[in-house]
Amino acid sequence: MNFLKKYLDRVRPNFEEGGKLHAFHSVFDGFDTFLFTPSTTSGTRGAHIHDSIDSKRTMIIVVAALMPCFFFGMYNTGYQHQLALGLDKFPFWEMMLYGFLAVLPRVVVAYVVGLGIEFIVAQWRKEEIQEGFLVTGILIPMILPIETPLCMIAVATAFSVIFVKEVFGGTGYNVLNVALVTRAFLFFAYPAQMSGDKVFVATGTALGYGQPVADGFTCATPLGQIATQTSDQLTLTGIDGKVLTTWDAFVGLIPGSFGETSMICILIGAVILLLSRIADWRVMFSVFAGGLIMGWIANMCATPTYPASYLSPLDQLLYGGFAFAAVFMATDPVTAARTRTGKYIYGLLIGVIAVLIRTYNNGYPEGAMLAVLLMNCFAPLIDWCVVQANISRRMRRANLTSKNA
Amino acid sequence: MEIKLKKGLDLKIAGAVTDLTVHQADTKVFAITPDDFPGFRPKVDVKEGDAVMAGAPIMHDKNHEDVKLVSPVGGIVKAVVRGERRKVMRIEIAKDENQTFRQFDVASSLDGDGAARLLAESGLLAEMRQRPYDIVPDPAVAPRDIFVTAIDSAPLAVTPELAVAGKTKEIEAAVALLAKICRGTIYISVRPGSKIGNINGAKIVTVSGPHPAGNAGVQAANIAPVNKGEVIWTLDIVTLARIGELVLNGKRDFTTLVAVTGPEVARPSVVMTCEGASVASVLAVSPLKSSDHHVRIISGNVLTGTVTAKDSFLHFPYRQLTVIAEGDDKVEFMGWASLSPAKQSESPTFPGHFFKRPITPDARLNGGRRAMIMSGEYDRVMPMDILPEYLIKAIIGRNIDSMEKLGIYEVAPEDFGAAEYVDTSKLPLQQIVREGLDYMREALE
């Protein structure tokens, strides 16, 4: 790799102050540090050695943890498409290819728009390019229905990167989870295209590959079906009309947002995040605990007015984006609570509110996204209380000793 | 009394001293660096060519004229090295064949004031620190408690008990002197199984746990934390023994044992010399491996030390010299994606985390500086009732009220050494804390 390093060193002067390509110095810097670990060394006082971990490593582990869900999403997109066509043959590689081609433009749009803005802002602020969007860019297509129009993804991504992240100062300073705001923006700005029966299954051709499904096809997600249920006899059906079992939901062969359906893959991701200590187990654990508690309470007082209350607490965790939000969204260290005690409270409330919204508000079949965003707003307040406890402990101690003295 | 600390980080680095035999160095030139003594504003008392005795004052503090830095040997002032805007960088002294020692008037130190004056005059006060602010203590303010640490928990450090073996008499004499100044208790912290027995007048605290358990400030935070308006003094057991020597003989003892450690040292060993010795004379006894890459010579340990050079001098506390690879000449392709077990890390994202063999680190930051992203990283390595992330943010924001409430009086930069190592965002935490402490002191005094 020495020739590459030499090449970069040779062209570097062009990008430095006064060079003719100075306008692209952040981009050059970004690629340079991406390819070669910077050889910047520590100062003359302070720690002389540093751990190998940096934010690139951190972000790439999260992306790796998302990969099982991503690949399963490709498979499931193809699978649901085959079902919608009424076929009973499921050729693996063709389904994977269809899913891949269906999601590819969405990934590309999210990355091009988001990273483009990051590059421009980094250049403008004369900073290094930050890695936060590596994760956000892959999350965005994963939490959206597969049929979300590309132009809407572009608009929503641009909105959240600019107004949720960059105006606050960039990675590390945002209050709200950028990927979730993209989802919420789409949800509220384009409600017709973002919910209902049409968007969760890929019906057209994917970049010209596959057969289109006949017009007039509709199918709701399990939570969508529950929200319109009127009796306590819940039967959830797949898009081929067959009954969906809990096992189907656990494996993830159900209609839903691209990467959110498979509990198995989410759990694999969770194991990666927890073993690598990138995500905090306190948050993850307490989101599930909160969901179970609220699911149990709702189930205890089940009523036909709120059909989702008939779901068992475990089913509450299984359907929709709950598990995905618990593992990948709530654990975002920047927007979550930062204190240890705060993390338990933060997670617990996300779990409770997610189930609360989806059960008692028929307008929103899914509450996980809104619950995380709501608690993002409250995380600083929770932390403030925990910090105040530390402060008043110190004050009490001071008063005690001054009294004794 | 016993304290068990759980949080912290014991880094296993290659190049530990295995043979505690003491080798004598033949040092000709010594230097005292005023920057090693935070809070000390140097005013030079000697000129080049002056003859000085061992223990003679060479600088005093502009704010407290009593507080002196003294010459570690008898000889001739070789150079007063100044930097930009005539800032005093160091005073170099060439050693004479015949050593003459300055005799101190110990008899006048019967009361607290006299004792403090003796410590200030003999340069021993400068080798202690006070909290708040982690500076050379103000001799006029009697400390609430004094914390002496006989533990060095930093990477590759050799136990300071080695230097005070058999000096119980000196330690007791020093405790008796400090007791005149101290309003409360004098604590001496030791590891379990220490050879330091009961010391009259002091309270022995057994401390177990990983680094920074050996830091006197960390121990204080777990025994009796510093509250607003209180002052404590901290020092190590070697300084305590030097005080004892002064009390018993009226002479300053400047000998020090320097552990020469690190992956770049051929045979890590313990070298005896005096305070401020030239690095070359120490490395002459314990040479470096021959290497074709740049090396970094650190006076002190890898977490809190000061960079020095082969032709330069040891820095306070003159106990350790660590030599590691600089690493600025290494080319590493996509290091962030590496699965190599050779990459040292406390994070389980690297396979190297699971191998318990000693690491051979270099001085690279291993990443770019970022905003604080991960949470709870500093907490894991700071055994104090402090919320480090919030304190650091308050310092960066120069918010005096918040800093005070979040406990800045309890901390010193060295307590953040391990946190600075594990930090994903590569923030210069110790520098931030140092600047915060200085800012507070200027604003409040």
Side-chain angles (χ1 to χ4, degrees):
Chain A
M1 283 305 143
N2 268 331
F3 74 96
L4 196 58
K5 179 78 188 158
K6 279 186 190 135
Y7 173 75
L8 286 173
D9 286 342
R10 204 176 66 232
V11 297
R12 187 184 314 275
N14 293 333
F15 294 93
E16 279 162 2
E17 200 84 43
K20 54 184 178 233
L21 294 173
H22 182 60
F24 297 99
H25 80 90
S26 283
V27 181
F28 175 79
D29 206 51
F31 279 110
D32 187 30
T33 58
F34 178 84
L35 289 172
F36 295 98
T37 303
S39 52
T40 329
T41 51
S42 323
T44 54
R45 283 178 193 260
H48 298 280
I49 59 173
H50 286 81
D51 200 289
S52 294
I53 193 163
D54 64 346
S55 67
K56 284 190 178 62
R57 182 72 168 194
T58 311
M59 298 301 169
I60 218 69
I61 296 288
V62 183
V63 172
L66 282 164
M67 281 301 112
C69 289
F70 190 81
F71 285 118
F72 187 86
M74 280 163 41
Y75 178 82
N76 190 39
T77 302
Y79 178 80
Q80 299 297 331
H81 182 71
Q82 295 293 96
L83 284 184
L85 285 172
L87 302 175
D88 53 1
K89 279 203 293 270
F90 301 102
F92 179 80
W93 288 110
E94 275 140 61
M95 281 155 45
M96 285 298 272
L97 181 63
Y98 180 84
F100 173 70
L101 292 175
V103 79
L104 182 67
R106 286 156 182 87
V107 175
V108 171
V109 165
Y111 270 121
V112 167
V113 173
L115 281 181
I117 295 172
E118 292 259 345
F119 277 30
I120 293 167
V121 172
Q123 181 71 37
W124 179 49
R125 287 207 190 113
K126 300 192 168 40
E127 279 175 359
E128 268 186 66
I129 289 169
Q130 315 210 327
E131 297 83 0
F133 198 80
L134 287 181
V135 175
T136 315
I138 194 88
L139 275 174
I140 288 174
M142 291 179 76
I143 57 174
L144 292 179
I146 189 70
E147 286 286 85
T148 317
L150 293 178
C151 58
M152 294 182 193
I153 298 183
V155 171
T157 305
F159 171 83
S160 27
V161 171
I162 295 172
F163 290 101
V164 175
K165 187 152 93 172
E166 298 305 345
V167 295
F168 286 94
T171 306
Y173 298 105
N174 48 315
V175 178
L176 299 172
N177 186 310
V178 182
L180 274 183
V181 172
T182 311
R183 176 87 167 74
F185 181 88
L186 289 167
F187 186 80
F188 290 110
Y190 307 106
Q193 285 84 351
M194 275 299 292
S195 50
D197 300 347
K198 294 206 168 54
V199 292
F200 286 98
V201 174
T203 49
T205 60
L207 299 178
Y209 181 79
Q211 290 169 260
V213 178
D215 270 0
F217 166 85
T218 67
C219 176
T221 62
L223 284 179
Q225 296 175 36
I226 293 163
T228 50
Q229 202 93 17
T230 45
S231 72
D232 58 351
Q233 295 301 311
L234 285 180
T235 34
L236 303 173
T237 54
I239 57 178
D240 53 352
K242 290 200 185 108
V243 175
L244 286 178
T245 59
T246 305
W247 176 249
D248 288 328
F250 189 71
V251 175
L253 290 172
I254 52 173
S257 295
F258 179 77
E260 291 185 350
T261 55
S262 170
M263 189 71 174
I264 294 182
C265 295
I266 293 171
L267 289 180
I268 296 173
V271 169
I272 296 175
L273 288 181
L274 291 179
L275 286 185
S276 62
R277 260 198 258 134
I278 299 291
D280 202 297
W281 64 268
R282 297 172 184 87
V283 175
M284 220 185 266
F285 167 81
S286 44
V287 176
F288 282 114
L292 279 178
I293 294 169
M294 191 59 220
W296 180 73
I297 295 174
N299 195 237
M300 282 286 113
C301 359
T303 137
T305 326
Y306 303 111
S309 58
Y310 287 107
L311 279 177
S312 76
L314 275 175
D315 283 342
Q316 292 276 17
L317 307 190
L318 219 48
Y319 290 114
F322 187 92
F324 193 85
V327 172
F328 296 107
M329 295 298 181
T331 54
D332 169 16
V334 177
T335 54
R338 298 189 75 91
T339 52
R340 283 196 181 184
T341 323
K343 281 171 184 162
Y344 291 111
I345 303 168
Y346 167 83
L348 206 67
L349 285 174
I350 287 182
V352 168
I353 293 172
V355 174
L356 200 68
I357 293 178
R358 76 153 67 137
T359 309
Y360 295 106
N361 188 334
N362 292 344
Y364 300 128
E366 175 52 301
M369 164 190 84
L370 294 172
V372 174
L373 283 177
L374 185 69
M375 290 318 293
N376 280 172
C377 298
F378 281 105
L381 180 66
I382 297 172
D383 279 339
W384 187 84
C385 296
V386 178
V387 172
Q388 283 306 310
N390 178 284
I391 290 173
S392 52
R393 196 157 59 237
R394 185 165 293 115
M395 298 283 256
R396 261 203 311 281
R397 196 180 71 202
N399 292 339
L400 208 70
T401 38
S402 65
K403 230 178 265 170
N404 290 349
Chain B
M1 196 175 184
E2 202 180 342
I3 296 177
K4 286 194 175 118
L5 301 176
K6 287 214 176 66
K7 292 177 179 181
L9 172 67
D10 273 337
L11 280 176
K12 243 202 210 157
I13 299 177
V17 176
T18 46
D19 173 16
L20 290 179
T21 317
V22 175
H23 305 266
Q24 183 72 42
D26 178 26
T27 313
K28 299 275 194 300
V29 188
F30 298 79
I32 298 297
T33 311
D35 268 357
D36 295 347
F37 306 92
F40 184 94
R41 292 184 58 211
K43 181 97 182 130
V44 180
D45 296 330
V46 290
K47 341 185 263 300
E48 283 174 22
D50 281 3
V52 287
M53 283 189 286
I58 53 175
M59 284 176 259
H60 70 265
D61 185 0
K62 281 180 193 166
N63 301 334
H64 306 284
E65 294 205 355
D66 288 351
V67 181
K68 305 274 167 57
L69 286 176
V70 298
S71 171
V73 285
I76 306 290
V77 176
K78 191 175 160 231
V80 178
V81 182
R82 289 180 187 269
E84 273 174 43
R85 297 168 67 197
R86 291 189 43 79
K87 181 184 167 181
V88 186
M89 306 307 286
R90 60 174 182 268
I91 295 186
E92 296 177 11
I93 293 139
K95 188 181 174 185
D96 262 352
E97 286 299 313
N98 302 319
Q99 284 297 297
T100 45
F101 284 88
R102 177 181 173 202
Q103 197 70 34
F104 288 90
D105 175 18
V106 181
S108 68
S109 62
L110 292 173
D111 59 347
D113 277 353
R117 238 186 343 264
L118 177 68
L119 291 176
E121 187 62 34
S122 61
L124 281 164
L125 195 69
E127 301 192 0
M128 306 187 205
R129 294 290 174 267
Q130 74 158 52
R131 295 201 187 189
Y133 311 129
D134 187 49
I135 50 169
V136 173
D138 178 350
V141 180
R144 185 201 70 196
D145 296 309
I146 295 178
F147 293 86
V148 184
T149 176
I151 306 170
D152 193 342
S153 54
L156 295 176
V158 167
T159 171
E161 283 192 29
L162 187 66
V164 299
K167 291 194 177 171
T168 311
K169 211 161 50 129
E170 282 84 353
I171 291 173
E172 287 193 338
V175 168
L177 183 84
L178 290 179
K180 291 177 189 164
I181 306 170
C182 177
R183 295 189 288 120
T185 316
I186 297 168
Y187 297 91
I188 298 179
S189 66
V190 295
R191 283 294 196 199
S194 152
K195 292 203 181 69
I196 296 175
N198 273 336
I199 301 291
N200 274 339
K203 193 166 185 179
I204 301 287
V205 185
T206 315
V207 181
S208 52
H211 184 69
N215 289 5
V218 170
Q219 294 156 5
N222 286 282
I223 298 169
V226 188
N227 297 307
K228 189 186 176 182
E230 295 176 344
V231 170
I232 61 161
W233 289 3
T234 62
L235 62 152
D236 61 18
I237 193 83
V238 183
T239 310
L240 191 70
R242 285 182 191 136
I243 296 174
E245 196 88 24
L246 177 73
V247 173
L248 293 179
N249 306 330
K251 275 192 256 176
R252 271 296 312 272
D253 173 23
F254 293 99
T255 52
T256 180
L257 293 186
V258 183
V260 187
T261 61
E264 299 293 328
V265 178
R267 265 186 317 280
S269 47
V270 180
V271 175
M272 183 188 267
T273 179
C274 286
E275 298 178 17
S278 65
V279 171
S281 69
V282 175
L283 290 182
V285 182
S286 180
L288 301 183
K289 288 176 187 166
S290 60
S291 67
D292 51 359
H293 52 259
H294 303 162
V295 294
R296 171 176 286 226
I297 303 173
I298 302 159
S299 179
N301 63 66
V302 285
L303 295 179
T304 60
T306 309
V307 169
T308 179
K310 260 188 192 149
D311 56 357
S312 190
F313 299 86
L314 291 183
H315 289 271
F316 182 78
Y318 319 111
R319 279 209 312 261
Q320 193 179 357
L321 200 60
T322 311
V323 190
I324 59 172
E326 180 75 26
D328 59 346
D329 39 10
K330 274 188 196 160
V331 175
E332 192 182 1
F333 182 65
M334 299 230 273
W336 53 270
S338 169
L339 292 174
S340 155
K343 296 275 281 183
Q344 33 107 11
S345 183
E346 267 316 291
S347 150
T349 61
F350 285 90
H353 172 77
F354 301 98
F355 296 95
K356 291 297 166 204
R357 62 175 177 220
I359 57 174
T360 48
D362 56 48
R364 285 177 302 168
L365 288 179
N366 288 322
R369 201 152 273 169
R370 294 288 179 271
M372 219 181 271
I373 294 173
M374 303 302 283
S375 59
E377 273 188 325
Y378 310 156
D379 278 331
R380 298 171 57 88
V381 294
M382 286 201 59
M384 304 167 98
D385 185 21
I386 293 267
L387 296 169
E389 287 167 26
Y390 288 86
L391 178 57
I392 291 290
K393 283 181 182 173
I395 295 175
I396 293 173
R398 293 287 184 264
N399 184 335
I400 290 187
D401 188 43
S402 292
M403 286 192 244
E404 199 173 281
K405 285 179 175 166
L406 290 165
I408 194 166
Y409 297 133
E410 297 166 45
V411 301
E414 58 172 12
D415 302 336
F416 286 81
E420 194 171 331
Y421 170 76
V422 298
D423 187 9
T424 305
S425 299
K426 315 289 176 191
L427 295 173
L429 298 179
Q430 296 183 72
Q431 188 193 331
I432 292 171
V433 174
R434 179 81 265 161
E435 284 168 7
L437 291 169
D438 292 346
Y439 178 81
M440 278 296 265
R441 190 157 55 93
E442 271 169 36
L444 298 184
E445 281 180 359

